Amino acid sequence: MECLHPGIAEQYLRLESCRSIPGVVAVLLGGSAIYRHMLSPDGEPGSDWDGVLIVKTKLDTLELVNNNRQLLKHTFDIVSEELPYLKVPTPSDASWNEFDAVRFAGHTVSGTKKSVKILSLEHLVSSVDTLNILSFKDRRIYASQTSDGSRCYRLHQATRLSNGIFILHDQLVFRADPQICVHGSDVSRTTFGVTADLLVTGVWLYGRDPHGKDIQRRLLERYTAVCGRTATVESFARADRFSIPYRHQLRQQLHALTICPSRPIACSCRFAPSTVLYGLTSSTREFQPSASTPHIRVLPPETLSRFSLGEERKTFKPVQAIFSSNSRSFILTIGPKNLEECSLKVFCKVTEFQSHEIWGAQQAAKYFPQVQIPRLSGSGELLFPFFHGHTEAEYRLQFIQGGRSDWSVAETILYAELAKAEATLMAYRLSACPVSTSSEAPQIHRFFHSRLSKNTRFQQFYAKGVQLHDRSLTLSEFLNLSFIINGVTYPSLYEVTKAATQAVQPTNTTSCLQVFGLGDAHGVNIMIGDQTKPDNGKDVLYVDYEVAGYHSVMLDLAKPFHHDVFFDTLYADELCDAPTIDYAYIDNAIKVTLDPCADDLSRAVFNIKKRYLIEPLLHLARRHGSDLDTWVPQLAGALLACSALTRNFSGKQDTFFRNIAVGIVLSQATTFEHLWKQCDLLGIR
């Protein structure tokens, strides 16, 4: 595309200054300034400008940002940097091999925002698919579309460095897991990565020949190699915003650059499309970034004196009841005592585990980026600073009750899951120990064992028996019946519970890889800040530390995995669109037929945990000489407890049998690959 009006290029950068920068071989302008206004001399490109600067080598990037910074700022007329303390790590730094490019941004004197990604030619002409970008911005989720015009989302993980800067793990082409039809055709979704999209759709202001065209041709060839089809105008993320003149120019460019035709497609079969596509993070498996300075919230001492005042100035608001189980929580408002004092909001928790909650929060502050350390009131309540936000579980209900169509809400949930996976993996890496050195069973080990042992929790919830339509069963009768779930025969609950109890026996868990974990970091205990931060992220706060500690990594995974992935199952009685389920007593067995209680969001949560937490964890465990596959029965036993024994479903037969069935299916997993297959049986893949 060569029809860019010169006035637009001049608004982005000083071209002569750019040419004088050592190592620069090409510069590109993209984004809305191009695809909306490229042909208009009077068009207003908007307040944000995005481009790419190509240098010869990665060392040229370091030299430019660290030593020729003033020349870089002058070239783009930047007077106020987005991140003045940004420094590119040197080759001796542990993070040098973990990033490939740098994002530099700032504002002009008129307030115009300009950003440029500085990439090296040596990386772009290599065969590597990933593109790891050092950035102040923490953006991990991007809307896109595929060649058929359907909407999808690209997810890539990020790694937070100790100085608060992120490495964004972008890649050149995103592709869904293979979907092969009966004719052998792969009809999986494919889309360009964020930076690759910018490179192909942008306009070269300098260096188009030979470097610019070669880079674009390589990216188009990579796209075709992945999906077997040539890219079209509709293959790009913002094709619906392209102006008509721009679409015409881009179509001509794609035709001129494409040298390898699409492979013939055998048929027009279609599957349910993948809404979310996932980036890779293999480059971070060996990298151990230093822990960033935690953001610790604690109430000032004077708050305790206000709390101890008379009850007449206190107002209690209970936290949503369906998410409360082992403790009671309130939002406490303390009224002012005079005109100079403001009302004060405090989060108040009533629990029998005060001392462990305080200890757990203090330990968590060593490993997690944002924690709250409670203060103990004179009357025994735990007091936390009030946090302006909502739980991930509340967002989840909002998404479901809104018809599962508001993906702005879903993006908030997915961001929290990505941040949680990153923080949890970091905590595991910092604390991992091959075996337990404690003489006392950790809290979470006792928690799961006590729920399963001797069917204690079943007795607590269902001592009066179980109603199966018009048939009444004693608890003992019910526990001894085998199950047939979607045509597959499973052992009785008595048998699977006995096996699960043995698997989580405290004496049998200390040889598994030990880590520090929160143990209860599922959506009910994750707070998401209401405001978007300057770095584009949101505060993600961990708020429950009752079972936090140094314990088996498999037990630490259990509740977050189950409660977040199978949220729709656990709270099916609260949903207006729960799928059908049938159950009946047949030939001394309970036959259950259920449709999957899973949507695209549930599957995305599963994939985030699988790809960005569990798979890197398996690699970490092998480095410590531990094969976690051998410990999957322990995780499976805990998942049974999570599904069947978290909530009391008395009087809610459909939800009761759905959760019992899911728990039994998950309890049979013996390896991680087996667990993924069991999840697949339940509609999670």
Side-chain angles (χ1 to χ4, degrees), residues 57-125:
T57 70
K58 187 174 175 180
L59 285 171
D60 289 324
T61 302
L62 183 153
E63 181 68 18
L64 175 57
V65 176
N66 290 6
N67 301 325
N68 284 321
R69 202 185 201 93
Q70 290 304 317
L71 179 56
L72 178 62
K73 291 169 62 178
H74 173 73
T75 298
F76 291 93
D77 290 318
I78 290 174
V79 297
S80 174
E81 293 182 47
E82 180 180 70
L83 192 65
Y85 63 82
L86 171 67
K87 288 287 185 181
V88 178
T90 64
S92 61
D93 192 282
S95 63
W96 172 256
N97 292 325
E98 303 305 319
F99 69 93
D100 312 305
V102 176
R103 179 182 175 275
F104 186 85
H107 290 85
T108 67
V109 68
S110 64
T112 298
K113 176 73 174 291
K114 292 183 179 179
S115 69
V116 58
K117 290 177 180 175
I118 308 171
L119 282 64
S120 71
L121 189 62
E122 64 181 357
H123 181 81
L124 289 172
V125 300

Side-chain angles (χ1 to χ4, degrees), residues 601-620:
L601 180 57
S602 299
R603 297 183 186 99
V605 170
F606 164 77
N607 274 282
I608 289 172
K609 293 181 185 295
K610 176 177 179 283
R611 296 166 188 260
Y612 303 138
L613 176 58
I614 294 177
E615 289 179 356
L617 169 63
L618 295 177
H619 187 269
L620 172 68

Side-chain angles (χ1 to χ4, degrees), residues 231-503:
T232 66
V233 172
E234 286 69 31
S235 302
F236 300 98
R238 298 183 178 180
D240 57 339
R241 304 184 193 178
F242 291 169
S243 66
I244 293 176
Y246 177 76
R247 295 176 71 90
H248 176 70
Q249 291 289 323
L250 181 58
R251 189 176 292 109
Q252 288 185 328
Q253 173 176 292
L254 295 175
H255 179 74
L257 291 172
T258 301
I259 60 174
C260 48
S262 300
R263 296 192 297 270
I265 303 298
C267 65
S268 58
C269 291
R270 289 289 181 268
F271 293 106
S274 302
T275 303
V276 182
L277 309 180
Y278 306 92
L280 305 175
T281 57
S282 58
S283 63
T284 64
R285 289 182 178 172
E286 298 290 347
F287 177 49
Q288 175 65 67
S290 303
S292 56
T293 303
H295 184 187
I296 301 172
R297 291 178 168 87
V298 60
L299 284 173
E302 55 268 23
T303 299
L304 286 178
S305 62
R306 292 185 65 177
F307 181 84
S308 63
L309 296 173
E311 297 296 318
E312 68 277 1
R313 292 198 292 110
K314 297 178 185 177
T315 303
F316 291 87
K317 178 184 177 183
V319 172
Q320 198 162 0
I322 64 167
F323 295 140
S324 302
S325 54
N326 303 320
S327 58
R328 292 184 296 117
S329 301
F330 305 89
I331 296 173
L332 168 67
T333 302
I334 305 174
K337 63 182 179 182
N338 53 52
L339 294 176
E340 298 178 355
E341 193 174 76
C342 298
S343 294
L344 177 66
K345 280 188 175 182
V346 176
F347 184 80
C348 177
K349 184 174 183 179
V350 180
T351 175
E352 59 182 295
F353 304 107
Q354 300 102 321
S355 60
H356 194 90
E357 179 102 21
I358 295 171
W359 176 86
Q362 292 169 340
Q363 297 301 308
K366 300 177 182 179
Y367 302 104
F368 285 84
Q370 296 203 51
V371 299
Q372 293 200 128
I373 298 178
R375 291 189 182 275
L376 184 63
S377 73
S379 49
E381 297 93 345
L382 292 175
L383 305 181
F384 297 83
F386 182 76
F387 180 77
H388 293 277
H390 297 81
T391 67
E392 182 184 334
E394 289 172 322
Y395 277 110
R396 197 75 176 265
L397 274 183
Q398 180 184 343
F399 176 74
I400 294 168
Q401 293 169 352
R404 305 177 191 267
S405 59
D406 187 350
W407 273 79
S408 64
V409 176
E411 286 185 41
T412 299
I413 297 165
L414 294 176
Y415 174 82
E417 284 291 328
L418 287 164
K420 185 166 59 173
E422 179 207 355
T424 302
L425 183 61
M426 170 66 77
Y428 290 172
R429 285 173 165 164
L430 292 173
S431 63
C433 178
V435 295
S436 173
T437 58
S438 174
S439 58
E440 182 180 356
Q443 186 93 336
I444 196 170
H445 294 214
R446 287 180 275 138
F447 169 85
F448 279 114
H449 187 259
S450 65
R451 288 202 166 182
L452 290 162
S453 180
K454 300 178 182 179
N455 294 310
T456 304
R457 188 76 158 184
F458 277 118
Q459 292 284 352
Q460 178 185 343
F461 284 168
Y462 312 111
K464 295 181 179 180
V466 173
Q467 192 71 24
L468 204 166
H469 298 308
D470 58 352
R471 187 186 189 99
S472 297
L473 299 170
T474 67
L475 180 59
S476 177
E477 289 173 332
F478 173 72
L479 293 176
N480 282 282
L481 291 173
S482 60
F483 274 75
I484 303 170
I485 303 170
N486 286 352
V488 179
T489 301
Y490 294 90
S492 68
L493 266 173
Y494 175 81
E495 293 174 275
V496 297
T497 303
K498 181 179 179 181
T501 303
Q502 182 65 22

